[in-house]
Structure formats: structure tokens, C-alpha cells
Amino acid sequence: MPGLPMYPYLAVDQFLQTLLGTRALASALELGVIDVLADEASSAPALAARLRLDGNGCLLLTELLRHAGMLEQHGDALALSDAFRAALAFRDLMEAKIAFSTLLLPDLVQGLTALVADPPAFLARSRALALFRYDRALDTAADNLADTERWLRLTTVLTRYEAAPLLDRLPLGGHFRLLDIGGNSGELARQALARHPQLRAVVADLPAVCALGRRHLAQAPERARIEFLAGDALTAPLPTDCDLVCFKSMLHDWPEAQARTLLSRAVAALRPGGRVVIFERRRLEQLAAPPAFGQLPVLLFAGFYRTADFYVQTLTGLGLMGIEAEVVELDLPFMLVTAHKPTAGAAAPHRQG
Ligand SMILES: C[S@@+](CC[C@H](N)C(=O)[O-])C[C@H]1O[C@@H](n2cnc3c(N)ncnc32)[C@H](O)[C@@H]1O
């Protein structure tokens, strides 16, 4: 869509290019180096003395940061570069990407060969899959909540930023009830409702996720308009009077058969005239630029991403109309697929199958 802004949060990846630069940044954030330099320029020895760091270690760290473009040398003093200072406005995203990529580093080191040659063997050993334990989100026992919270923190931060590119493309003025399936902590619903005061939302997700989502939104002004529906979206009853059903970064988790079931349940939840929206990462084809180390999670999950064809065919088969698919270039490409359920009397297209 022409005229939409480049999203400023995308600037963080430029400082997560390499493993060394990313880990240097992680240490600098952890040790307070970035906080000190955000306030005032300082020489490396003065920084070491102030933060009680080893002098040589501090010099190594600041050199890594300087070569990664985060610091600039002005005489004796080191200062944050303007570009890094701008990216630091998204510190939560930076920290989430650092944490997520670092967690998956063993998957890259020990698993890349298997990912290419034997994906099931890769998956069996993957740290990523060990993190996203949906089976531990089926109840709200304290240890399951703690395990679920580890990944929910990451998905919530990612959605805090990925919601805008989706919502900027959705004119929701005429919608009243959103169902977000796999809606996680409710962050997308919250942002949709903040933009559209007439909208109410149901966030359908697993029990531990819903419990943490209620906590996440406890202080949000939109909270009273958001209902959490805890259960398995493949089998649990869903509302039947929604005019918008959304799947964000959800369907790629599922093999085609279950993805079709979820879509058909979404269509059943829609009033005639209502809309289905799918927003998720698209299969990687030619990369426009070398990917950053901070994009490692996306690269390791790449085998799960689809092109729009599967969704377009499935929605056509379910009788939906006005199906549109567009690629949305963010850090790496996303796709947005939208369609609407025919109103009574509208000619439904020929159903497949
Ligand atoms: C990759 S996350 C995406 C979350 C969120 N939509 C986002 O964009 O950040 C997939 C979501 O689907 C939820 N989920 C997994 N299995 C589910 C099921 N059977 N029923 C409902 N939600 C499920 C997970 O708990 C998680 O919140």
C-alpha cells in the first residue's frame, strides 16, 4: 500500500547484525554501559571506573560496540551514535530479539545441517520447540504459568510492534466484534480497540495464556471491552456473532489439516458479511539483504511459513469472497490475506472439494 510509513522499530535489526555485535550489546545493556552513555559521553577508562568494570574488558566491549555502529569516538570520549540512540527507543524489542536469538544459538550451531537435511531431526532437538510448549499452557498450575510466561513475554513484545503494520492496513471502522484466535496476551486486540472505540474483542487462547493475558491487560483502558476465552480453538465452542476473525502469526504453527479446521471454525464464528484476516510471516524466497543475527528465530522457523496460496485456496473452498492477498515487507516479509463471508443472497463462489 503506497504512502504507509517505514516503521521506525525496524531500526533495531541494524544493531543485531552479527553475533559478536549482538552479544556486545547484550552485555552493554546488562552492565549499564548503554544507560551511562545515553546520559553523557565518556572515555572507556572513565566508563570502566564508574561501572567498576575491568579496564581491558571495557575497552574490548566499547570497540565491539563502536565497530557495530552503536558508538562513535569524539576525541577521548565515546558517545552513542544518533542511529543507535533512535533504535534505543525500542529497547524492549531489542532486548526481546537479543534474548530470543541467543536462546536459539545452539539450534544454529548444532542444528543447521539437520534443518536442511532432516527437518524432523532438527525439530526433535530444537530449543525453539522446547520453549513454545503449548502443552504446558493447558492449565494454570504455577509451573505451567511460569513456563508459558517465558515465551509469552517474547510474543507480546513482537506483537506490540507488529500490530501497527497490520492495523494500519485494516479499515475497522465498520466492525464491532473481533475474535482473535491464538490472540496470546491480548496485545493485538488491545491495540485494535485503542484505535477503534466501537470495537469489542474476544481473545481465544489456551488457559495459561489467557490467565497471563488478563494480567498483561489488567491496567489497560481497553480491558473492559476484551473477553478472554480459554480453550483449544480446534474444539472448544467459539462465539458465533463476530464480524472480524483474526489469526496473527498463528496458523503457520499448524499442519494444513488443522489450519483448515481453524479457518472453517473461524468462518462459522462470523456473521454474514464478516471478515477473516490472516497476518503472518511469508515463506522466505530470495532474501533482499543478508539477514541479521537478531532474525535467527525467523530463519529457524522458516520451514513453517507458507505462501498465500494455501490460505486463498482454503478460504475459497469455504465459500468466502473478495479474497485479497498482499505481501507486507517488514524486517522480513509478512503476508496479509483478507476475505469476507457472503451476506445472505450474495452469490457464493463455487466451493472446492
Ligand atoms: C506463535 S503464537 C502467536 C501469538 C499472537 N497471535 C502473536 O501474533 O504474537 C501462537 C498462539 O497460538 C496459541 N495456541 C496454540 N495452540 C492453540 C490452540 N489449540 N487453541 C488456541 N490457541 C492456541 C498459543 O498459545 C499462542 O498464543
Side-chain angles (χ1 to χ4, degrees):
M1 190 180 291
L4 288 176
M6 235 281 286
Y7 293 93
Y9 78 84
L10 295 173
V12 302
D13 285 330
Q14 110 191 52
F15 300 104
L16 306 175
Q17 289 294 321
T18 66
L19 171 58
L20 270 178
T22 303
R23 290 309 311 161
L25 175 57
S27 298
L29 288 165
E30 223 172 285
L31 293 167
V33 169
I34 299 297
D35 291 318
V36 168
L37 292 176
D39 283 345
E40 57 182 351
S42 168
S43 69
L47 203 54
R50 174 157 173 194
L51 293 171
R52 295 166 191 261
L53 305 176
D54 175 71
N56 285 341
C58 187
L59 198 55
L60 168 65
L61 184 70
T62 54
E63 279 302 280
L64 290 173
L65 297 172
R66 192 171 67 80
H67 281 288
M70 298 173 225
L71 301 188
E72 285 169 358
Q73 187 91 42
H74 300 292
D76 282 347
L78 290 162
L80 300 187
S81 67
D82 289 346
F84 180 70
R85 198 179 277 282
L88 194 57
F90 309 100
R91 181 173 178 153
D92 54 350
L93 180 62
M94 211 177 250
E95 288 178 332
K97 285 192 156 204
I98 292 171
F100 205 2
S101 319
T102 302
L103 185 84
L104 300 194
L105 184 56
D107 279 6
L108 176 69
V109 177
Q110 295 152 18
L112 185 59
T113 305
L115 175 72
V116 175
D118 185 1
F122 168 78
L123 289 177
R125 289 197 304 260
S126 163
R127 295 279 291 260
L129 287 202
L131 175 69
F132 285 86
R133 287 280 305 271
Y134 295 152
D135 58 323
R136 312 260 318 177
L138 296 174
D139 64 54
T140 53
D143 53 345
N144 284 348
L145 281 178
D147 278 356
T148 303
E149 194 170 18
R150 287 177 60 219
W151 60 263
L152 185 121
R153 269 203 302 264
L154 296 171
T155 48
T156 299
V157 176
L158 295 179
T159 294
R160 186 171 301 149
Y161 294 100
E162 291 165 0
L166 169 58
L167 295 174
D168 286 351
R169 287 168 172 79
L170 288 182
L172 297 185
H175 288 279
F176 295 94
R177 196 165 192 222
L178 158 70
L179 170 62
D180 189 7
I181 300 185
N184 203 244
S185 56
E187 179 60 23
L188 174 64
R190 182 191 74 70
Q191 292 194 32
L193 270 54
R195 290 178 180 222
H196 299 283
Q198 86 292 352
L199 201 57
R200 304 181 73 82
V202 178
V203 173
D205 211 302
L206 301 172
V209 176
C210 288
L212 294 167
R214 286 186 194 100
R215 248 189 242 171
H216 170 66
L217 294 186
Q219 306 304 323
E222 300 78 20
R223 175 68 185 94
R225 291 186 282 138
I226 300 178
E227 179 193 333
F228 282 90
L229 185 63
D232 178 351
L234 282 160
T235 53
L238 295 174
T240 51
D241 59 346
C242 299
D243 54 18
L244 182 67
V245 182
C246 184
F247 294 96
K248 178 186 167 291
S249 306
M250 201 273 181
L251 292 169
H252 71 260
D253 275 346
W254 295 96
E256 289 189 355
Q258 282 95 334
R260 276 195 202 97
T261 302
L262 286 165
L263 282 167
S264 119
R265 303 197 86 224
V267 173
L270 273 181
R271 290 181 194 164
R275 210 147 41 131
V276 176
V277 171
I278 300 166
F279 188 62
E280 64 179 33
R281 290 189 181 275
R282 185 190 188 281
R283 178 182 296 162
L284 297 176
E285 283 167 359
Q286 282 204 328
L287 294 172
F293 174 70
Q295 291 166 331
L296 185 61
V298 180
L299 302 177
L300 293 176
F301 285 124
F304 295 102
Y305 304 138
R306 303 184 165 109
T307 60
D309 299 358
F310 167 75
Y311 298 118
V312 170
Q313 279 164 19
T314 304
L315 294 171
T316 305
L318 289 167
L320 295 206
M321 300 176 75
I323 303 174
E324 290 181 16
E326 96 174 92
V327 176
V328 181
E329 295 291 347
L330 296 174
D331 50 349
L332 288 165
F334 273 68
M335 61 189 167
L336 173 61
V337 182
T338 57
H340 65 259
K341 185 167 171 169
T343 46
H350 176 67
R351 286 171 189 250
Q352 291 184 336

